[in-house]
Amino acid sequence: MQRPDGPPHPPWSPERTREIARGRRDEPGPLLPILHDLLAEFGYVDPGAVPVVADVLNLSRAEVHGVVTFYKDFRTTPPAAVTIAVCRAEACQAVGARELAAYASDRLGLSFGQTSPDGSVHLTEVYCLGNCALGPSVMVNGQLIGRVDGQLFDALFGPVRGGA
Ligand code: FES
């Protein structure tokens, strides 16, 4: 089993942002697709992207900013290097997910929904990862891991410390 890696996103760049925006500017309603592309590329929508996209689409910065801030999917800060999502749905709950969730929170020093101050780890909850037969299930940077107990959690995340 692999240890969690960092996210595959390159650092944000205005040049790449302009390229992405130009690639879609002639489509109908291009703003949302462009923002989704930026999210996929960089993992977030950097505030510096707002004037670039506004310029390419001939919109005001306020218009672009308004859309970015309206949809909570468009995070404006880089994602944590490691995102740990613990399944808290029923099937996993039945095989120890509640205990695992408490253990994970305690070991990382983070509440669910929290990111460590250094941005290295984010702890979140999900409701079913489609891996119910192998619960408790955890998703780490998109990689699904089953039958996670405290021992496996420590083996995976021993060096990862969030808050505390
Ligand atoms: S309930 Fe956890 S993976 Fe389905």
Side-chain angles (χ1 to χ4, degrees):
M1 185 173 297
Q2 288 183 323
R3 301 192 67 81
D5 296 316
H9 305 291
W12 177 76
S13 88
E15 295 79 18
R16 179 68 183 131
T17 297
R18 187 170 293 278
E19 190 177 279
I20 288 171
R22 282 183 173 154
R24 287 193 180 269
R25 73 174 157 196
D26 296 327
E27 296 177 8
L31 181 53
L32 282 176
I34 288 169
L35 295 176
H36 279 293
D37 284 355
L38 294 176
L39 194 62
E41 177 95 4
F42 302 113
Y44 72 112
V45 178
D46 192 279
V50 170
V52 176
V53 173
D55 180 50
V56 171
L57 298 185
N58 201 21
L59 296 171
S60 72
R61 292 178 183 200
E63 285 174 290
V64 177
H65 176 76
V67 172
V68 171
T69 53
F70 180 79
Y71 295 98
K72 76 179 177 77
D73 280 358
F74 296 134
R75 55 176 302 142
T76 55
T77 54
V82 178
T83 294
I84 303 170
V86 178
C87 178
R88 304 187 79 172
E90 203 169 310
C92 282
Q93 294 273 15
V95 291
R98 197 183 316 262
E99 294 76 10
L100 175 65
Y103 188 82
S105 179
D106 183 57
R107 295 294 283 179
L108 297 171
L110 297 173
S111 301
F112 279 85
Q114 244 187 348
T115 301
S116 61
D118 67 358
S120 64
V121 61
H122 177 71
L123 180 64
T124 188
E125 57 192 8
V126 290
Y127 287 85
C128 197
L129 291 162
N131 193 46
C132 314
L134 297 173
S137 300
V138 168
M139 181 81 83
V140 182
N141 287 359
Q143 181 186 356
L144 182 61
I145 304 168
R147 298 201 194 287
V148 181
D149 57 12
Q151 196 177 353
L152 179 53
F153 189 89
D154 283 346
L156 289 166
F157 307 114
V160 178
R161 287 290 175 268

